[in-house]
Amino acid sequence: MARTLNQSEADVHGTMSFYHEFRNSPPGATVIQVCRAESCQSMGSLALEAYVRSRLGIDFHQTTRDNNFTLEPVYCLGNCMNSPSIRVEDEIHGDMNAARFDALVEGCLTQVIEVKAP
């Protein structure tokens, strides 16, 4: 990549490590982001973070061994009225707690796939 962009490897690495959306490896099938903004923290996101990390068995910026989930921090989802919030792919979920998180994870693992006959 550095050669193609006519940049040094250090420049490319610096850019990739600065922006969290750039990755060195593909993310899991489902990306989960936990909001870490002040509103969410005041409403219990630190405890939620600990639960999510324990439940998935990974830390932020990691992917589960089965490649089902990647966990990322985010610093505001704009859903402060319903703190704490998480985003699963493109959907924001507010008033999050351990039971609701477990239901979301199970829903991601058991999605129904519709197969149409030819």
Side-chain angles (χ1 to χ4, degrees):
M1 184 183 288
R3 216 173 303 122
T4 301
L5 296 172
N6 197 27
Q7 299 289 317
S8 71
E9 288 182 27
D11 287 336
V12 172
H13 175 73
T15 300
M16 288 184 68
S17 61
F18 180 80
Y19 294 102
H20 297 292
E21 295 300 318
F22 289 133
R23 304 173 192 280
N24 290 327
S25 58
T30 302
V31 176
I32 298 173
Q33 294 178 317
V34 179
C35 184
R36 303 187 86 197
E38 291 81 1
S39 176
C40 285
Q41 285 186 26
S42 71
M43 296 300 288
S45 71
L46 296 179
L48 178 63
E49 285 177 24
Y51 180 78
V52 169
R53 289 193 314 266
S54 172
R55 171 71 164 81
L56 297 177
I58 57 174
D59 206 344
F60 287 122
H61 307 292
Q62 293 181 344
T63 299
T64 56
R65 289 181 193 251
D66 59 9
N67 289 319
N68 280 325
F69 301 101
T70 294
L71 183 60
E72 299 290 342
V74 65
Y75 294 94
C76 190
L77 292 171
N79 196 33
C80 301
M81 188 170 96
N82 297 307
S83 296
S85 296
I86 67 169
R87 178 169 39 207
V88 178
E89 293 301 324
D90 292 327
E91 282 190 45
I92 296 174
H93 302 272
D95 300 315
M96 189 53 52
N97 59 37
R100 292 190 70 213
F101 180 77
D102 286 343
L104 280 172
V105 167
E106 291 304 315
C108 290
L109 293 174
T110 60
Q111 292 178 354
V112 176
I113 300 172
E114 183 179 336
V115 178
K116 295 182 180 181

